[in-house]
Amino acid sequence: MQSLWDQTRMELRTSLSVQEYTAWIACLRTSATLDDALAVEAPSIFHRNWVQTHFLDRIRSTAAHVAGHPVAVSISVGAGIPLPMKVAASPVPVVQKSAAPAHPSFTFDNFVVGQCNELAHGGARAVADNPGGVYNPLFIHGGVGLGKTHLVHAIANAVRLRHRSYRVLSIGAELFINEMVSSLRRQQMEQFHRRFRKIDTLVVDDVQFIAGKERTQEEFFHTFNLLAAAGKQIVLSSDKPPHAIPNLEAGLRNRFEGGLIVEVTRPDRETRRRILAAKASQQNIEIPETVLDYLTERIRAASVRELEGALTRLKAMASLVGRTIDLALAEETLGRLYPARPDRVPVERVETLVSEALAIARTTLVSGQRSGPVVFARQVSMYLMRKQIGLSFAAIGERYGRDHTTVLHAVRAIEARRSCDAEVRRLVTSLEERL
Ligand code: ADP
Ligand code: MG
């Protein structure tokens, strides 16, 4: 696993300019990381002060985005500085923040569209083309690392580009909560309301975080209603659809469900490959087709973030050891992290199970015997090899010294009996389960 700091740095690298990143961020080191706290060290007092004034909020919000919850960030000079205390992230002035997009690099141009996200992408594009005019709100949900933040920021960036005078605010729900709580504490709710009322397009990322927090939900409901009534576009992302978010107040849920709800799901093989290829070319990583195949095949659980991580590792490893990226390097770097999938169930296992279940010796099963019970057992065996292992008719036939039409017939026979004979159904199902 990459550390929180590594991931945060990776994101900062894409969202800051090259100069900013190399001058100020690249040389920072972590002295310690906890789940919710990050202690970073700078090489000099001047450097620390500069980073503190210019980048601290950015580092903090990026770390929170990566971690999925607020992270306390402290910056010190030199080594051996203790971890920061657990503190709530300090509020960032909301409207100033909207002036600079949080993720200028998240655009439609570099979003790869596949079956897994094509509806979400379509909805996002429609909203970006016509903010406030089509789907309001647009609600994008799906698992971690599947492109929700990318899409909602792409909308924000596109609207900013097209409508220069629009006030576009994209904000993580945690930041909204922090903002609200601190306004409440300082008794500045009037200002808080005023700020939000001025917005033309509001993007709230990870809106599930506001569930269960009574006052926050109330405030958000209020803001939502005001903006929606004024025809302003609202875009939301969440890790779950509205109805599945626990402790979400009914009024809000209703609002969330009042527009278009779209889901992003795990990318299929083809999309994984295209994403890898796109990311590699964006980062000028030369990667042979064979390695793309390898990565696509191995990294399956994959959130897109995981694909990116693998690519980054591979690139780092290549430059560290001074080799070009090839299959061998990929295997050395990632092979243990993403082991090959276990081989498919061996055919012997099918035969053992069948022979046990029907009390027929395995040797009899593969023999030429044609008595009723043996034929039935053999047919079950063929059926399972076809359905569960996916062997070809010809391969199965070969094993039993029969031609493929016999196998085809066997598979059909079991299929038919399975649907009308409860006993056969029970038998086959239990064998399938044990396989
Ligand atoms: P989520 O918000 O759903 O957890 P993110 O939007 O942060 O996920 O995506 C994680 C990373 O994967 C980001 O760097 C993003 O750019 C990338 N990513 C996700 N989906 C795609 C895609 N379809 N095409 C290109 N990059 C993607
Ligand atoms: Mg996200």
Side-chain angles (χ1 to χ4, degrees):
M1 267 307 283
Q2 279 187 311
S3 73
L4 175 59
W5 175 239
D6 285 337
Q7 284 180 289
T8 303
R9 209 158 44 165
M10 234 165 71
E11 295 237 349
L12 285 169
R13 183 175 206 153
T14 57
S15 66
L16 295 172
S17 75
V18 179
Q19 289 88 337
E20 286 175 321
Y21 179 81
T22 16
W24 300 107
I25 307 295
C27 59
L28 299 177
R29 299 274 168 272
T30 38
S31 49
T33 316
L34 289 178
D35 247 11
D36 56 0
L38 202 56
V40 179
E41 287 174 353
S44 67
I45 297 181
F46 173 73
H47 197 115
R48 185 208 50 198
N49 292 349
W50 186 274
V51 172
Q52 214 143 34
T53 347
H54 295 90
F55 298 106
L56 186 57
D57 287 337
R58 190 63 160 268
I59 296 175
R60 199 180 271 146
S61 62
T62 307
H65 169 244
V66 167
H69 52 71
V71 174
V73 178
S74 75
I75 305 180
S76 52
V77 184
I81 285 86
L83 271 173
M85 299 299 291
K86 192 171 172 175
V87 288
S90 75
V92 178
V94 167
V95 169
Q96 261 116 303
K97 197 173 180 300
S98 69
H103 290 282
S105 63
F106 286 168
T107 62
F108 285 118
D109 287 346
N110 57 21
F111 188 81
V112 175
V113 184
Q115 219 175 37
C116 54
N117 57 27
E118 103 191 302
L119 269 182
H121 174 262
R125 273 233 104 111
V127 161
D129 287 345
N130 190 0
V134 266
Y135 312 118
N136 212 4
L138 174 67
F139 190 102
I140 303 179
H141 70 94
V144 176
L146 297 179
K148 302 182 297 296
T149 297
H150 190 134
L151 270 181
V152 299
H153 281 281
I155 297 173
N157 289 330
V159 173
R160 278 188 189 105
L161 208 64
R162 185 170 305 188
H163 307 274
R164 301 232 170 237
S165 63
Y166 271 33
R167 274 156 304 202
V168 179
L169 173 63
S170 40
I171 186 173
E174 306 106 303
L175 207 54
F176 179 89
I177 298 166
N178 287 345
E179 271 285 311
M180 198 220 69
V181 170
S182 87
S183 301
L184 201 60
R185 206 177 285 142
R186 285 186 267 145
Q187 305 193 313
Q188 294 176 341
M189 285 315 282
E190 248 325 291
Q191 273 157 285
F192 179 84
H193 291 146
R194 233 178 301 130
R195 274 192 310 216
F196 274 93
R197 255 169 248 175
K198 284 197 253 163
I199 292 163
D200 295 301
T201 295
L202 175 64
V203 173
V204 181
D205 200 8
D206 290 319
V207 76
Q208 76 271 8
F209 287 129
I210 71 165
K213 301 181 181 68
E214 201 177 323
R215 181 67 201 259
T216 314
Q217 296 196 77
E218 224 172 87
E219 284 299 335
F220 191 67
F221 189 56
H222 184 65
T223 306
F224 188 111
N225 288 340
L226 280 171
L227 292 177
K232 312 295 190 186
Q233 180 67 48
I234 298 163
V235 177
L236 306 166
S237 87
S238 160
D239 63 352
K240 297 177 196 68
H243 70 86
I245 302 175
N247 305 317
L248 182 64
E249 199 263 319
L252 267 181
R253 178 178 153 186
N254 255 328
R255 295 284 157 172
F256 290 177
E257 287 173 342
L260 177 67
I261 301 181
V262 285
E263 185 179 9
V264 287
T265 57
R266 277 172 38 181
D268 55 32
R269 172 187 295 263
E270 192 247 7
T271 312
R272 287 204 302 274
R273 197 176 195 287
R274 283 194 293 122
I275 289 174
L276 280 166
K279 300 272 168 192
S281 103
Q282 274 158 34
Q283 299 177 50
N284 290 319
I285 305 176
E286 261 191 59
I287 189 158
E289 299 285 312
T290 49
V291 176
L292 279 183
D293 287 338
Y294 174 89
L295 296 175
T296 311
E297 172 64 27
R298 288 291 182 90
I299 312 172
R300 295 175 184 224
S303 74
V304 177
R305 208 188 292 285
E306 217 168 325
L307 295 174
E308 289 177 331
L311 212 52
T312 307
R313 261 166 186 266
L314 204 53
K315 183 186 178 188
M317 186 57 106
S319 78
L320 218 61
V321 298
R323 284 167 50 184
T324 49
I325 294 176
D326 58 14
L327 212 48
L329 188 72
E331 174 62 33
E332 284 164 43
T333 313
L334 299 163
R336 289 223 296 195
L337 205 56
Y338 299 104
R341 304 243 293 179
D343 278 345
R344 46 195 196 180
V345 185
V347 285
E348 290 79 10
R349 170 120 178 99
V350 173
E351 286 167 355
T352 309
L353 283 179
V354 171
S355 78
E356 278 169 12
L358 296 172
I360 287 168
R362 241 186 83 191
T363 45
T364 315
L365 206 59
V366 293
S367 74
Q369 261 199 55
R370 285 165 193 269
S371 71
V374 177
V375 171
F376 175 69
R378 202 176 289 132
Q379 285 183 335
V380 171
S381 192
M382 289 173 168
Y383 174 86
L384 291 173
M385 284 176 190
R386 177 73 201 143
K387 295 287 175 182
Q388 296 295 307
I389 308 185
L391 286 190
S392 68
F393 291 123
I396 300 169
E398 205 169 301
R399 185 166 183 88
Y400 294 99
R402 310 285 201 282
D403 67 14
H404 76 277
T405 50
T406 312
V407 182
L408 184 66
H409 171 75
V411 171
R412 288 208 180 129
I414 298 300
E415 229 155 30
R417 289 187 66 178
R418 187 181 187 172
S419 63
C420 61
D421 183 333
E423 201 153 325
V424 174
R425 183 158 54 236
R426 257 196 305 279
L427 170 77
V428 175
T429 308
S430 96
L431 287 170
E432 281 171 351
E433 276 162 11
R434 291 168 65 197
L435 275 174

